[in-house]
Amino acid sequence: MKIGMSLAYSGEGFRETVDQLVELEKAGLDAIAVREAYTFDAISQIGYIAARTERLELASGIIQIYTRTPSLTAMTAAGLDYVSNGRFTLGIGASGPQVIEGFHGIKYDAPLGRTREIIDICRQVWRREKVQYSGKYYEVPLAPEKGTGLGKPLKLINHPVRADIPILLAALGPKNVQLAAELVQVWEPLFFHPGKAEEIWGESLAAGKAKRAPELGPLGISTAVGLAIGPGAGEMLQYVKPTMALYIGGMGAKDKNFYNQLMQRYGYVDEAEEIQNLYLAGKKDEAAAAVPDELAHAVSLVGSEDEVRTQLKQFAEAGVTQLNIMPLNPEHEAVKSQLETLKSLI
């Protein structure tokens, strides 16, 4: 099992953070992902990290599918794979209508269909084929009657380091998860509950894997976990809850919140409603307090070394291949120590 981290999408102290990242690479960190919402882009930061590190696997975690053309997405991935010498994974996802329509002014529609077509086009680009694609959502080249008529099939000028750059798809809903299991190398769920994974996603994963091309290899699963190991670590579970409350309560509209729906599918129907009502009423602390201890613990690595060793076994048995740690004590030396302890337990 690999251990990764996710960098916050903020420019505050970014260079200092990367200095620390270089040390964490030496301490055994395997991967880093840079998030992108509606602040600085992830791509420029990943390029900077590529230049400062040697073996860390790098990922966009995630870039949304609506604002870059499929060919530009492929070019960007190939460029990052080049400057990192084959260490990049293209992490993509649909984001949500609040960001896509509210910040970018683009209609949020057909996330499944668009994702499938984008993946097809990216792989054409990386194979250096002349890109020719006629889909429901993307047409390359553009038909003559829709433009100047001067467009012609082109292929990528450069030779990519890899013609099969790995793709990671962030997905929670049944159809999205099925798509991930069919088409990409890595599936990324958030708030992954290993004890309920088969119940919630087993059918979708099986349906997708039934259509999966053998050359893709086994499906990897990458998920984020709060981390605190050692005596008294259980008391730090409270620091997991504000992030969970943010997503369950405030990430998306009241009737279109994927994380709230996931919590309900886990069986916490009343609790999900309470968290959302409190959060949307501005009572963020109360919303965090309403997150059940049982759920917060299940989606985290928090406890004594023996407890965390048991949790690691549960994640591994549920198919998780990479854990992206969110250290609950953010001090650099503490993060480094926790990372070393976690590596020893694995």
Side-chain angles (χ1 to χ4, degrees), residues 130-254:
K130 288 187 177 181
V131 181
Q132 299 182 76
Y133 195 87
S134 180
K136 184 176 180 179
Y137 306 101
Y138 299 101
E139 185 176 23
V140 187
L142 192 64
E145 65 273 13
K146 296 180 180 179
T148 64
L150 300 176
K152 64 178 183 179
L154 298 171
K155 66 179 179 181
L156 191 69
I157 294 173
N158 304 84
H159 289 258
V161 174
R162 294 180 293 175
D164 57 347
I165 296 171
I167 298 175
L168 174 152
L169 181 61
L172 289 178
K175 292 182 179 179
N176 301 67
V177 172
Q178 181 177 331
L179 188 74
E182 177 188 350
L183 289 182
V184 303
Q185 284 86 350
V186 184
W187 166 46
E188 183 181 64
L190 189 60
F191 305 138
F192 182 87
H193 190 317
K196 293 182 179 290
E198 177 62 28
E199 173 189 346
I200 301 300
W201 290 300
E203 186 176 336
S204 296
L205 290 170
K209 289 177 181 179
K211 301 177 182 178
R212 186 177 181 84
E215 58 266 25
L216 288 175
L219 178 68
I221 302 176
S222 175
T223 191
V225 290
L227 176 70
I229 308 172
E235 298 176 4
M236 300 192 74
L237 195 65
Q238 61 180 312
Y239 298 113
V240 174
K241 294 184 177 184
T243 299
M244 295 184 70
L246 165 64
Y247 280 83
I248 295 167
M251 196 66 73
K254 185 174 177 61

Side-chain angles (χ1 to χ4, degrees), residues 33-62:
V34 178
R35 291 177 276 174
E36 183 177 86
Y38 42 97
T39 180
F40 294 154
D41 74 291
I43 306 308
S44 57
Q45 295 181 65
I46 295 170
Y48 183 87
I49 295 170
R52 294 289 312 279
T53 57
E54 296 179 358
R55 64 165 190 83
L56 273 182
E57 296 179 13
L58 312 172
S60 52
I62 58 165

Side-chain angles (χ1 to χ4, degrees), residues 100-131:
I100 302 306
E101 297 184 1
F103 189 69
H104 296 287
I106 295 174
K107 184 179 179 181
Y108 185 88
D109 68 344
L112 287 171
R114 289 185 182 277
T115 298
R116 181 180 291 277
E117 293 188 13
I118 288 168
I119 291 170
D120 287 345
I121 294 170
C122 280
R123 287 176 171 155
Q124 275 194 35
V125 172
W126 298 332
R127 292 192 298 263
R128 295 192 73 242
E129 299 172 359
K130 288 187 177 181
V131 181

